Structure formats: structure tokens, C-alpha cells
Amino acid sequence: MTLDELASDVRDRFPTISEAADRLYERKFGPPVYTYSWFEALADGVNAEMTCGTDPKSHDALIAYLENALHSSDEVFKCLDVAFVENLFWQVPVRKAEPYWQRLPAKMKALYEGFHHRTPLD
């Protein structure tokens, strides 16, 4: 799977959070859409929902889908590692991050901790 195929598939499968990511992307980067940065905006969208107290179960399918995609290609792995996982939990209060962190798959936790050298709860 290519990165563009993954982004297209995420948009099809998860339209609500994808629309939020599109709005965040437009505000932050403007056109044209660069897929790598779009996954950063997707993380920003999830972060906004964390901060608002959205039930973490609402993103279980997205997170599971992205975790599975980590194994599809080196390009996808690198993007999800750097653009998505590393940006998760950015400026999210610990008490809001905790239920999401508890549900995050071990592989994504390891990527996050490998970059940040801590959890978002520290």
C-alpha cells in the first residue's frame, strides 16, 4: 500500500475525523495537500477530540486500522511513525490523554516512547 492509497482509504473509512483533519490541515498548511502532513493533521484531529473528552472507543477502529497499516510498506511505516504517532497527545492534558494511551496498541506506544523517551502521562 502506498501512502496516498492509505490516506484515501482512511478518508473513505473514517469520514468524520478525516474531515476534521482536512480542516486542520488547511488552517495549518494550506493547499496543496501533502499526504505526510495530512497524517499530522489527522493526529491533531484525534488530539482535539481527546481534549474535548470524546470517548476513546470512538477511535478504536481508526487506531487498529493504522496499526495494521504499519506493516504495509516502509513508506507507510515511516509516515505513521513520524507524522501520526509522534504527534499524538501533543498538548493534551494528562487526564484527557490517559484513556487514549491505555487503549493505544503496544506497537504505537513503543514508537511514541522511542521518539519522546516518555509516555504522554509522565
Side-chain angles (χ1 to χ4, degrees):
M1 174 181 295
T2 69
L3 197 51
D4 288 334
E5 291 169 338
L6 177 63
S8 178
D9 207 24
V10 168
R11 282 186 167 102
D12 289 344
R13 291 172 183 253
F14 309 99
T16 303
I17 192 64
S18 293
E19 289 170 9
D22 289 341
R23 288 189 301 273
L24 290 165
Y25 183 95
E26 182 69 27
R27 271 189 256 148
K28 192 172 187 177
F29 301 108
V33 173
Y34 177 55
T35 307
Y36 216 85
S37 300
W38 186 82
F39 280 97
E40 181 179 333
L42 183 63
D44 291 344
V46 174
N47 292 343
E49 294 206 357
M50 282 186 221
T51 301
C52 290
T54 301
D55 186 341
K57 292 177 187 174
S58 66
H59 293 296
D60 282 354
L62 170 66
I63 298 300
Y65 181 77
L66 294 177
E67 180 198 22
N68 188 51
L70 285 169
H71 308 288
S72 64
S73 71
D74 286 341
E75 173 191 39
V76 167
F77 178 88
K78 289 174 186 173
C79 175
L80 291 178
D81 178 19
V82 174
F84 185 76
V85 175
E86 288 179 10
N87 287 291
L88 278 177
F89 306 104
W90 179 250
Q91 296 183 329
V92 176
V94 171
R95 65 182 170 71
K96 302 281 185 156
E98 193 275 332
Y100 279 80
W101 180 255
Q102 296 307 320
R103 300 181 77 78
L104 196 68
K107 178 67 175 178
M108 288 185 169
K109 284 181 178 178
L111 293 173
Y112 185 94
E113 291 176 288
F115 178 76
H116 292 283
H117 305 290
R118 62 175 182 79
T119 75
L121 309 179
D122 296 338

